[in-house]
Amino acid sequence: MGGQKFEYDESGSTFFYFLTSFLALVLVPCTYYFWPAAVAEEEQEKEQCEVVLRKYSKLKKPEKWKGLQKVTQRMIIVAGWILMAYLVYKIQQFDYEYANFDPYDILGVGVGSSVAEIKKAYRKQSLIYHPDKPTGDERKFMKLNKAYLALTDDDARRNYERYGHPDGPGATHFGIALPSWIIEKENSLWVLGLYGLVFMIALPTVVAIWWYRSSKFSNDQVLLDTTQLYYYFVHKTPHMVFKRALMVLAASLEFEKGHNPEIIERPTDNIELPQLIKQLPNLGEKNKERPLCFAYSIKARSLLHAHLSRMKLPEDTLDQDRLYVVKCCPILIQEMVTCVSQLIMLAHAGRISRLPSLDTIEACMKLSPHIVQAMWDSNRNPLMQLPHVTEETLRAFVSKRRPIRTIEQLLSLTPNERSHIFRQFTEEEYNDILVVSRKMPHIDMDINYEVVDDDDNVVFTAGAIVTVTVNLSRRNLGDKFEDVPHEITHHKPEVLPVEEQQAAKTNSGWKKPQKKVNKSKSKAQQPQKKKGQVTKKEESHQDEKKEKSKKIKIGTAGMVQDRTEDLAPEEKVADYTDDEESASHSDESLAEEADTESHRDDKNNFDDDAEWERFQKGLTKREKALEGKSKISHSVHCPYFPEDKQEHWWTYVCDRKKHMLITAPYQITNLVDQEEVQLKFTAPQKPGIYTYQVCLRSDSYVGFDQVQDIKLDVKEAREIPTEHPQWQECSSDEEDDDDNDLGKDDGEESEYTTDEEVTDESDEE
């Protein structure tokens, strides 16, 4: 290997391999990520109401620059694949020429040609491909020369017949897959300049731009300055209401042009925005807090107020700004909820003085569904989420006989009752309302709370870590009410004829109520059995006992018989009955012991199975955590939201009596059918009975929140054990081992000399 020389690629074949591999590594992921995906129109338009179809049609109309961007991306990707196909074709040509060396084919003669014919063909082609000729080709001439030698020279023919090539077996060749013109003297300056441009200017610039942009954002792509803004205002106002939270949300720096270049400031804002502010009551534009008084904050707040009021705005100006502001809100609200929960945990730990209340974090959570559905918090009627339902048409749902206040109540009606309520709607509008209401979510929440990894997982001691497992199963409201027929849900009492009603009244008038029979009296009136009399039931019971104890009686029957032969007849009978009774009692005790042992074995097996199932569940949870958290669940019906929104949920534990948050809200983003969530908190330090609430909140729908109570009977903490029988056995075993080692040391002589032996020898000398 010391004499090997690495050479650059002269022919260019290996360079094509390198270029093809590098292009494939770049082109395949770029095609996957940057090729504009076509939207599945059939799936979106299937079972959608007219309002949502209008929203999707508006989303399908791309902006001019976005359309140009998609076309440019497709052209670049197609050009890359064309270049890839050309490189693969060139590689195949190199491989074919290298692997298929046929001298007869190169010279253009037949297999059985003579030497004269071969020489004639060689002279004819050498005049064409000789390097000195105008039509010369050095590679083809070298190939022609090797083919001629393979058919005329004896050694070359022998090598060709044995190895398939006139040069014989090829040696291992090491080279660099780069063309040789890179190291030529004429091109050295250009190559050096290219290296400097790529590695010293372009690469550091790209890394610096990426780091400058990414350092401004958190993991959820929210500006860090916005997060600091949320911390400041939540700490300033620990008890925050809905409108105050909306004001803080509108002050996010994502809506300021200096922090976000996507914000557009138009000259028409100076005319249209003051007109909009006059139409919005309780906007708070005179607030002097910074940055709540800044122009960008007042504009974003005005757009959010107009959105919640479902006001019509100019389509080309303010409505476009409204769509952008509303699109950014879900991520910002989630960041706000996270900030409030972190401040609450810091207050519990004693790091900050002001404790944000439970109302503050719940007000932040309320922002999300109300913005998605374009509803104020004062309008809490969930029916406003349905298409074609306005405040005017909402009066049809409220009647003295049967007021409809939820979508679930609406679906529980019979078709006749529904058609009576929707008589002012057209048939298409009625179908749209039914389609949307049947797709609304219905969540079944099952709660289990315990102390994991404890002997008594149901006993809650002071300071123990309580694990609340929330099992959620989702289905559509339409599926729920399809399972229950209307004849069962709305069962009417049977109406009897008039004659039968009168007969029933007369019968109920003269009939006396039946007296209750005294159980003690009835027992006393029962005929008592005579002393010594045995009933049939007792006889059968005794027979069963005898059959069970046959095996045990066989061993003792001989002894009983020998003993009873010496006694009188009356004594024999009495002694025999006594022996039988003692044997039956012993049989019963043995059976009871066997039952208890089998019960213990079953209990141990059940405990082992439960522990194994718990271990398997833990493994599956770890695998899910490693897979990552999906954000695709179900599409939300939200015609006023500019994009396709997915259903997300929050679950947490709180104490409404003390207005305290116990666990940080956990956001569930992948509730398709079923999902399991674990919430952990520390039990109170004082014994007593505590009541907590497990809450489930939607970030997309209004009126689908759930709350369930859990009660903890907290006991005093157990004392730390200082003695245990198992520890005593271990210590005694260690002492025995130490004694044995000492005995061995005393009895055995060491093979090494000691200091005493050395001193004794010196004294003797």
Side-chain angles (χ1 to χ4, degrees):
M1 293 296 293
Q4 290 289 346
K5 292 182 179 180
F6 292 89
E7 298 178 354
Y8 284 83
D9 185 20
E10 297 290 342
S11 61
S13 59
T14 54
F15 174 67
F16 280 109
Y17 275 105
F18 167 74
L19 194 60
T20 305
S21 303
F22 180 77
L23 188 61
L25 289 174
V26 175
L27 199 58
V28 171
C30 287
T31 306
Y32 179 78
Y33 286 106
F34 295 107
W35 184 266
V39 181
E41 298 179 2
E42 297 180 358
E43 295 182 0
Q44 286 185 353
E45 295 180 359
K46 187 178 180 181
E47 295 185 359
Q48 294 286 357
C49 68
E50 186 181 355
V51 181
V52 179
L53 290 178
R54 266 190 256 123
K55 170 188 170 181
Y56 283 130
S57 64
K58 187 183 291 186
L59 290 175
K60 288 175 188 175
K61 294 180 181 178
E63 298 180 3
K64 293 181 180 179
W65 67 272
K66 287 188 177 180
L68 181 62
Q69 183 182 7
K70 288 182 179 180
V71 172
T72 307
Q73 287 178 358
R74 288 181 178 179
M75 291 178 63
I76 293 173
I77 292 172
V78 169
W81 282 108
I82 291 173
L83 179 60
M84 181 86 172
Y86 174 74
L87 293 175
V88 171
Y89 173 75
K90 293 291 291 182
I91 289 172
Q92 288 180 350
Q93 292 296 321
F94 283 123
D95 291 344
Y96 178 79
E97 292 176 0
Y98 180 78
N100 298 279
F101 180 80
D102 188 1
Y104 296 102
D105 187 21
I106 294 170
L107 292 171
V109 296
V111 178
S113 300
S114 61
V115 178
E117 293 176 350
I118 293 171
K119 289 181 179 180
K120 184 179 179 181
Y122 172 71
R123 290 195 199 97
K124 184 179 179 180
Q125 293 193 23
S126 63
L127 293 174
I128 300 172
Y129 297 114
H130 195 277
D132 296 336
K133 300 292 182 181
T135 59
D137 190 346
E138 185 178 358
R139 290 184 59 196
K140 288 186 177 180
F141 182 76
M142 290 176 63
K143 201 171 184 181
L144 184 68
N145 192 17
K146 289 180 180 179
Y148 175 73
L149 291 174
L151 297 178
T152 56
D153 187 62
D154 295 335
D155 295 335
R157 179 186 289 274
R158 196 179 303 110
N159 289 332
Y160 172 70
E161 291 175 353
R162 183 177 297 179
Y163 303 108
H165 200 276
D167 294 337
T172 304
H173 179 72
F174 295 92
I176 300 173
L178 291 175
S180 58
W181 56 265
I182 290 179
I183 58 172
E184 291 180 359
K185 188 176 181 180
E186 296 83 5
N187 302 326
S188 60
L189 186 61
W190 295 100
V191 172
L192 185 62
L194 181 64
Y195 272 98
L197 181 65
V198 172
F199 293 103
M200 298 180 66
I201 298 175
L203 186 61
T205 304
V206 171
V207 172
I209 292 172
W210 170 80
W211 175 253
Y212 177 74
R213 291 181 178 178
S214 62
S215 61
K216 291 182 178 181
F217 297 91
S218 63
N219 294 332
D220 297 328
Q221 297 302 312
V222 178
L223 287 169
L224 296 178
D225 294 338
T226 302
T227 305
Q228 295 295 327
L229 181 74
Y230 294 158
Y231 281 129
Y232 170 75
F233 278 104
V234 173
H235 186 263
K236 183 180 179 181
T237 54
H239 304 285
M240 193 178 292
V241 294
F242 182 86
K243 289 186 178 180
R244 176 70 175 179
L246 184 65
M247 191 179 293
V248 175
L249 177 66
S252 301
L253 295 173
E254 275 77 3
F255 307 139
E256 200 263 328
K257 189 174 178 60
H259 291 80
N260 188 1
E262 295 183 7
I263 296 296
I264 301 174
E265 294 180 353
R266 301 179 180 88
T268 56
D269 292 345
N270 299 326
I271 301 172
E272 295 174 349
L273 199 58
Q275 295 176 359
L276 177 63
I277 292 173
K278 291 179 181 179
Q279 300 175 9
L280 298 173
N282 302 322
L283 183 63
E285 68 275 10
K286 295 182 180 180
N287 193 334
K288 299 301 181 182
E289 293 181 274
R290 302 179 65 180
L292 303 182
C293 61
F294 291 170
Y296 82 91
S297 178
I298 296 174
K299 180 182 177 180
R301 198 188 318 157
S302 304
L303 295 175
L304 287 175
H305 276 247
H307 172 74
L308 295 175
S309 302
R310 298 185 179 182
M311 295 175 60
K312 290 185 178 180
L313 300 174
E315 293 186 0
D316 297 332
T317 54
L318 289 181
D319 194 56
Q320 295 296 325
D321 297 337
R322 177 190 67 86
L323 293 177
Y324 183 81
V325 170
V326 172
K327 181 179 68 174
C328 297
C329 282
I331 300 175
L332 297 175
I333 292 170
Q334 172 59 27
E335 185 70 17
M336 189 182 294
V337 170
T338 304
C339 292
V340 178
S341 63
Q342 289 178 358
L343 287 176
I344 291 174
M345 297 307 160
L346 289 174
H348 286 311
R351 300 286 298 276
I352 58 176
S353 58
R354 296 183 179 181
L355 173 64
S357 65
L358 180 64
D359 299 333
T360 302
I361 194 168
E362 288 186 344
C364 297
M365 291 181 186
K366 286 179 184 177
L367 287 173
S368 183
H370 285 87
I371 289 176
V372 170
Q373 298 297 335
M375 295 171 56
W376 278 105
D377 61 329
S378 57
N379 187 3
R380 298 180 180 178
N381 198 326
L383 298 174
M384 289 290 291
Q385 302 170 101
L386 299 176
H388 314 295
V389 177
T390 59
E391 293 181 358
E392 297 176 357
T393 58
L394 195 61
R395 299 173 184 175
F397 298 93
V398 181
S399 62
K400 294 181 180 179
R401 187 174 62 180
R402 188 165 191 180
I404 306 300
R405 300 190 180 278
T406 61
I407 300 174
E408 191 169 352
Q409 291 178 356
L410 179 64
L411 289 177
S412 64
L413 298 175
T414 59
N416 294 330
E417 292 174 342
R418 260 194 252 122
S419 61
H420 177 71
I421 290 175
F422 292 105
R423 62 185 180 273
Q424 59 181 343
F425 295 96
T426 62
E427 186 176 355
E428 293 180 356
E429 293 175 350
Y430 174 70
N431 291 331
D432 290 343
I433 292 172
L434 285 184
V435 167
V436 172
S437 58
R438 284 172 180 163
K439 284 189 173 183
M440 291 291 178
H442 175 73
I443 308 296
D444 294 324
M445 186 167 62
D446 184 23
I447 299 172
N448 182 25
Y449 49 99
E450 59 181 353
V451 180
V452 182
D453 298 333
D454 198 356
D455 296 336
D456 297 330
N457 55 0
V458 187
V459 178
F460 304 98
T461 57
I465 298 175
V466 182
T467 302
V468 180
T469 305
V470 183
N471 293 305
L472 303 175
S473 59
R474 185 205 182 275
R475 55 176 176 165
N476 294 335
L477 276 177
D479 298 337
K480 177 186 176 183
F481 287 100
E482 282 177 1
D483 299 339
V484 183
H486 292 289
E487 289 78 13
I488 297 175
T489 55
H490 301 283
H491 179 70
K492 295 181 179 180
E494 185 180 359
V495 180
L496 298 174
V498 179
E499 296 177 356
E500 294 183 6
Q501 290 181 6
Q502 292 177 356
K505 287 180 181 179
T506 55
N507 292 335
S508 63
W510 64 267
K511 270 191 176 181
K512 294 182 179 180
Q514 294 181 358
K515 294 182 178 179
K516 293 183 180 180
V517 181
N518 193 357
K519 292 183 180 180
S520 61
K521 189 176 180 181
S522 61
K523 286 181 181 179
Q525 288 178 358
Q526 289 178 1
Q528 295 180 356
K529 63 180 182 179
K530 295 180 181 179
K531 193 175 182 180
Q533 187 178 358
V534 182
T535 60
K536 292 181 179 181
K537 190 174 182 181
E538 290 177 351
E539 287 179 357
S540 62
H541 188 60
Q542 289 179 0
D543 293 337
E544 290 177 359
K545 285 184 178 180
K546 289 177 183 178
E547 289 177 0
K548 288 180 181 178
S549 59
K550 271 183 181 180
K551 294 182 181 180
I552 303 173
K553 287 179 182 177
I554 289 171
T556 58
M559 296 173 64
V560 173
Q561 188 175 2
D562 295 338
R563 194 171 62 85
T564 53
E565 285 178 357
D566 301 333
L567 300 174
E570 296 83 359
E571 293 177 353
K572 287 180 181 179
V573 174
D575 193 28
Y576 182 72
T577 55
D578 293 338
D579 292 338
E580 269 200 353
E581 288 178 359
S582 62
S584 65
H585 286 305
S586 63
D587 296 340
E588 290 177 358
S589 62
L590 290 172
E592 288 177 357
E593 290 178 359
D595 291 339
T596 54
E597 289 179 358
S598 63
H599 181 68
R600 287 174 185 171
D601 294 337
D602 295 339
K603 188 176 180 181
N604 292 330
N605 293 330
F606 178 76
D607 293 340
D608 294 339
D609 294 339
E611 188 175 356
W612 175 251
E613 289 179 0
R614 193 178 299 171
F615 177 72
Q616 291 292 331
K617 285 182 180 179
L619 289 178
T620 54
K621 288 176 185 177
R622 290 175 185 173
E623 291 176 358
K624 287 183 179 180
L626 292 173
E627 288 176 0
K629 196 174 179 182
S630 174
K631 292 189 177 182
I632 298 175
S633 55
H634 294 272
S635 295
V636 179
H637 171 76
C638 47
Y640 296 95
F641 194 77
E643 290 184 343
D644 183 25
K645 178 75 172 64
Q646 296 291 315
E647 285 183 14
H648 294 168
W649 302 82
W650 284 298
T651 180
Y652 56 95
V653 181
C654 65
D655 187 355
R656 294 196 175 277
K657 188 176 180 181
K658 297 180 179 179
H659 297 278
M660 287 176 57
L661 182 71
I662 305 301
T663 64
Y666 181 83
Q667 190 180 28
I668 305 167
T669 59
N670 54 349
L671 180 57
V672 180
D673 294 323
Q674 290 183 351
E675 189 65 25
E676 181 179 316
V677 178
Q678 286 189 349
L679 305 173
K680 297 183 179 181
F681 65 95
T682 305
Q685 299 295 332
K686 295 182 180 180
I689 298 175
Y690 297 86
T691 303
Y692 298 109
Q693 287 76 34
V694 181
C695 303
L696 179 70
R697 282 188 173 273
S698 174
D699 78 329
S700 306
Y701 292 111
V702 178
F704 289 88
D705 303 337
Q706 295 186 26
V707 178
Q708 289 189 20
D709 293 342
I710 58 173
K711 288 187 177 180
L712 297 182
D713 187 5
V714 180
K715 307 292 184 182
E716 291 186 0
R718 300 172 184 172
E719 296 181 357
I720 300 174
T722 56
E723 295 181 358
H724 196 274
Q726 187 176 1
W727 301 344
Q728 294 178 358
E729 291 177 1
C730 293
S731 61
S732 62
D733 293 338
E734 290 177 357
E735 290 177 358
D736 294 339
D737 294 338
D738 294 339
D739 294 339
N740 294 331
D741 293 339
L742 288 172
K744 289 179 182 179
D745 294 340
D746 295 339
E748 295 178 359
E749 293 183 358
S750 176
E751 58 182 356
Y752 301 103
T753 56
T754 60
D755 296 336
E756 295 178 356
E757 293 178 355
V758 172
T759 53
D760 293 340
E761 289 178 359
S762 60
D763 293 339
E764 290 177 359
E765 290 177 357

